[in-house]
Amino acid sequence: MTAGAASDGAPTVPAGPLAGCRVVELGGIGPGPFAGMLLADLGAEVVRVDRPGRADEPDAGGPADVLNRGKRSVVLDLKDPVATAALLQLVERSDVLIEGFRPGVTERLGIGPHDCLARNPRLVYGRMTGWGQDGPLAAAAGHDITYIALTGALGAIGDPDGPPQIPLNLVGDFGGGGCYLVIGVLAALHAAARTGHGQVVDAAIVDGTAHLLASTFAKLARDEWSDERGVNRFDGGWPFYAVYETRDGRHVAVGALERKFYRSLVELLGLDVDPDRQHDRSAWPELRQLLTKRFAERTRDEWAAVFEGTDACVAPVLTLTEAAAHPHLAARGSLFTRDGVVQPAAAPRFSATPSSAGRTAPTVGADTEAVFRDLGVRFSE
């Protein structure tokens, strides 16, 4: 069966680059499960360990549980010493463990880094938190919005006269959190292969988000960025890198930063402006008014047709539902539908060991017996 032809809608491809890597994921929410999904998409065998009772939650398992696709699911009561002993046996047979509890929780359960590395010195122990394993806020509660607030990222996004705008939970949970956990795990796996020794990966959302701001801090240091929102190059402050409303109440995104792209934008819009004055800030208020007025003359899709195939760097702002049907995303298979659920395909792509979106998330605990049997783990509930 060729890639993309699996009966359940998931592509069937050769084993991914992490084939043979075993991962134990202690069940959590947000960035931890996302990291586990990404590792599974890359070919790792991921076993998610859930607590008793999670099966009764509405988002547990099944087609819509996208973050747990491609994994196997076991249920263990980690407050039970017998279950803890079984988990440690899983750890002995695995390459990676990832967990997203507050600092100190796994230590109290007897499955902290010291316990696990004693059983498996090559283990990579990945820890996902918002504030990190130490620091004044390490034990405090938080969510994506509070983490990115303290890094400066949230305060930099939005209109100059309005409140900061929440960028979904992409910047914190998934960008600065889950992705950095995976980066850390992969780097530690490489080190373990070289040295024979595992280690702890302390992935904190505040650290990852701050790291994502490297370019912005560099611009701030060079006086190329003002420490206020809505007045800079990438926050809508420049009129030729902004979002404009169209006649039908929808929007187009304009990113004509380079001179040749800006010239193309001006020509296609039929604006009576001198393209050589692109960076004359005194002309920007009038330019923004002209752009606002011109884009309001046609619908979003009419403008999309005007700019199709040009280098003006203009794109329609699509909804999540519309994105799945866009010809470019459809041609690349960036999104696919399985069991009525639109979801992202695996990313990035590999020439020799393709990644692949795993099968639909199983019901919670569906693989408990099979996982312990396959790995030769002795466990009796």
Side-chain angles (χ1 to χ4, degrees), residues 31-293:
F34 175 77
M37 181 201 76
L38 181 48
L39 293 169
D41 286 353
L42 294 174
E45 177 190 344
V46 179
V47 176
R48 177 177 166 112
V49 179
D50 274 308
R51 67 186 186 283
R54 184 173 180 271
D56 298 328
E57 297 176 4
D59 61 344
D65 192 6
V66 175
L67 292 186
N68 286 311
R69 71 186 185 192
K71 306 175 186 179
R72 294 204 284 177
S73 173
V74 305
V75 169
L76 290 175
D77 181 0
L78 295 179
K79 296 180 181 179
D80 181 345
V82 175
T84 300
L87 177 67
L88 289 173
Q89 290 183 68
L90 281 179
V91 166
E92 289 178 355
R93 296 157 173 80
S94 300
D95 304 287
V96 179
L97 180 144
I98 58 177
E99 59 95 359
F101 299 115
R102 293 196 203 188
V105 170
T106 58
E107 284 85 349
R108 291 194 293 273
L109 292 171
I111 53 174
H114 178 78
D115 306 288
C116 291
L117 286 165
R119 302 288 287 266
N120 181 357
R122 297 176 62 93
L123 183 75
V124 172
Y125 196 106
R127 316 196 80 168
M128 181 76 261
T129 60
W131 305 115
Q133 295 299 311
D134 53 39
L137 293 175
H143 272 298
D144 175 286
I145 192 171
T146 54
Y147 307 137
I148 68 173
L150 288 197
T151 65
L154 180 60
I157 302 171
D159 294 330
D161 299 324
Q165 295 298 302
I166 304 169
L168 305 183
N169 57 339
L170 300 178
V171 174
D173 281 350
F174 301 122
C179 283
Y180 275 84
L181 175 59
V182 171
I183 291 169
V185 164
L186 296 180
L189 281 171
H190 179 75
R194 188 179 71 253
T195 67
H197 299 290
Q199 59 185 301
V200 177
V201 177
D202 175 4
I205 293 174
V206 289
D207 296 344
T209 302
H211 199 261
L212 288 172
L213 289 167
S215 175
T216 306
F217 278 113
K219 292 179 177 64
L220 185 65
R222 295 194 299 263
D223 292 326
E224 296 174 2
W225 192 272
S226 177
D227 199 8
E228 54 184 312
R229 60 181 168 274
V231 298
N232 297 290
R233 182 185 308 180
F234 298 121
D235 62 6
W238 291 17
F240 39 87
Y241 195 93
V243 174
Y244 291 94
E245 186 173 353
T246 54
R247 191 179 69 195
D248 53 352
R250 298 184 179 185
H251 298 85
V252 293
V254 177
L257 285 176
E258 291 80 1
R259 177 170 298 190
K260 61 182 179 179
F261 301 153
Y262 178 70
R263 185 177 293 273
S264 177
L265 171 70
V266 169
E267 291 176 353
L268 289 167
L269 288 175
L271 297 180
D272 184 18
V273 299
D274 181 359
D276 291 331
R277 295 185 64 195
Q278 177 183 5
H279 293 285
D280 180 356
R281 290 175 178 263
S282 67
W284 283 5
E286 181 182 1
L287 175 61
R288 192 179 294 273
Q289 290 178 359
L290 289 173
L291 290 168
T292 299
K293 181 179 179 181

Side-chain angles (χ1 to χ4, degrees), residues 361-374:
T363 57
V364 174
D367 306 300
T368 302
E369 293 184 8
V371 165
F372 289 121
R373 182 183 65 247
D374 293 348

Side-chain angles (χ1 to χ4, degrees), residues 296-366:
E297 293 174 357
R298 300 187 187 184
T299 68
R300 182 198 66 179
D301 293 344
E302 287 173 339
W303 282 121
V306 169
F307 290 102
E308 181 79 23
T310 74
D311 280 345
C313 295
V314 177
V317 177
L318 303 180
T319 67
L320 293 172
T321 303
E322 291 173 325
H326 189 275
H328 183 79
L329 298 185
R332 287 185 58 81
S334 301
L335 297 165
F336 70 97
T337 302
R338 180 167 65 200
D339 297 325
V341 176
V342 177
Q343 57 192 285
R349 305 181 184 205
F350 300 84
S351 61
T353 56
S355 53
S356 173
R359 296 184 179 276
T360 295
T363 57
V364 174

